[in-house]
Amino acid sequence: MNDRVLGRMASRLRQRKFQLLRRFQIPPDALPGSLSLTYLRCGKPTCHCAWDRGHPVWSLTFMVRGKKKVQHIPKQWVQEVERRVEQGREFQDAVREVLTANAQLLTLARRQEKRHKKKKKR
């Protein structure tokens, strides 16, 4: 269906789609979600956090079967987790772009089919 769509736009969409498909395989250690830094107070009245900003805590937030999960990340893992989250984000962006190209190609195919049917009726 989509491979029969003609025209420059369809050609550009297919080229971009296949370029992305060649470039992106599922990264084996990519992570979903986002990494964030927050500050928590431990509750001890003599701790510096009682009058200061708090203790820095890194967290990875992601969804599992529609439920939000939060995993605390040790400070020494932050750079690696950040890299893996970025890999996951790039992969998801590429997948969205491929899916969008498929939808646009479907729309173009439908338009071309309608035009073709109108020409046949004349």
Side-chain angles (χ1 to χ4, degrees), residues 24-73:
F24 281 97
Q25 296 176 355
I26 298 175
D29 61 348
L31 291 169
S34 61
L35 185 65
S36 61
L37 175 64
T38 56
Y39 295 89
L40 300 176
R41 290 185 167 78
C42 65
K44 296 178 187 174
T46 58
C47 183
H48 74 87
C49 73
W51 60 88
D52 195 10
R53 193 178 202 177
H55 298 280
V57 178
W58 286 93
S59 301
L60 175 67
T61 305
F62 57 98
M63 302 292 282
V64 176
R65 291 187 206 103
K67 293 187 178 188
K68 184 167 94 170
K69 301 288 182 182
V70 178
Q71 178 66 52
H72 292 288
I73 303 297

Side-chain angles (χ1 to χ4, degrees), residues 37-114:
L37 175 64
T38 56
Y39 295 89
L40 300 176
R41 290 185 167 78
C42 65
K44 296 178 187 174
T46 58
C47 183
H48 74 87
C49 73
W51 60 88
D52 195 10
R53 193 178 202 177
H55 298 280
V57 178
W58 286 93
S59 301
L60 175 67
T61 305
F62 57 98
M63 302 292 282
V64 176
R65 291 187 206 103
K67 293 187 178 188
K68 184 167 94 170
K69 301 288 182 182
V70 178
Q71 178 66 52
H72 292 288
I73 303 297
K75 187 179 179 181
Q76 62 269 24
W77 290 14
V78 169
Q79 264 189 322
E80 177 64 16
V81 170
E82 203 167 35
R83 182 189 67 77
R84 292 172 61 182
V85 166
E86 182 57 31
Q87 267 186 334
R89 191 168 291 125
E90 286 174 1
F91 178 74
Q92 288 175 332
D93 290 345
V95 168
R96 277 189 209 93
E97 194 171 339
V98 168
L99 295 176
T100 300
N102 286 341
Q104 289 174 308
L105 285 166
L106 179 74
T107 301
L108 289 172
R110 186 74 176 121
R111 277 191 211 142
Q112 286 181 6
E113 183 181 305
K114 284 181 179 181

